[in-house]
Amino acid sequence: MVSESTPGQESRAIWKLSLYVLWVCVVSSLLFAVNTGMVFAFSKGIESKLPDVLGMDQVIQFSLFIFPIVLLYAEWYAWDVLTTRRVR
């Protein structure tokens, strides 16, 4: 049994979905900025302790690119686990 939706319901659903997508983008951007700052500070700390390690520049560039993305994924996964009531 399929119920028909009214144009008002569809426009409210589109509005709510748009706000949700905007909220996810804003939160992701803020988390990504914080993650990048944390990884950058961590890499500068390591670089100050080990200044002459061969290939350190490439490792730092790689970590500045990959680790914020990995942290963002982990944060959203943790949010998903904490907010859903799944039975495992």
Side-chain angles (χ1 to χ4, degrees):
M1 184 168 149
V2 177
S3 64
E4 295 295 321
S5 60
T6 64
Q9 288 175 328
E10 288 181 9
S11 65
R12 278 193 308 259
I14 291 171
W15 180 248
K16 286 182 180 182
L17 179 62
S18 300
L19 287 177
Y20 178 75
V21 169
L22 179 64
W23 178 79
V24 167
C25 290
V26 168
V27 170
S28 293
S29 298
L30 292 174
L31 288 173
F32 188 73
V34 170
N35 293 344
T36 303
M38 288 188 316
V39 170
F40 183 74
F42 183 72
S43 67
K44 286 299 177 186
I46 289 176
E47 190 176 20
S48 69
K49 301 292 182 190
L50 304 169
D52 295 329
V53 175
L54 183 63
M56 183 60 85
D57 292 335
Q58 290 85 10
V59 171
I60 289 174
Q61 287 177 355
F62 180 76
S63 68
L64 284 174
F65 179 71
I66 294 297
F67 287 144
I69 296 169
V70 171
L71 286 172
L72 185 65
Y73 174 79
E75 290 160 350
W76 277 117
Y77 181 75
W79 175 261
D80 184 44
V81 168
L82 293 173
T83 58
T84 57
R85 305 269 185 213
R86 286 189 265 185
V87 177
R88 293 186 182 206

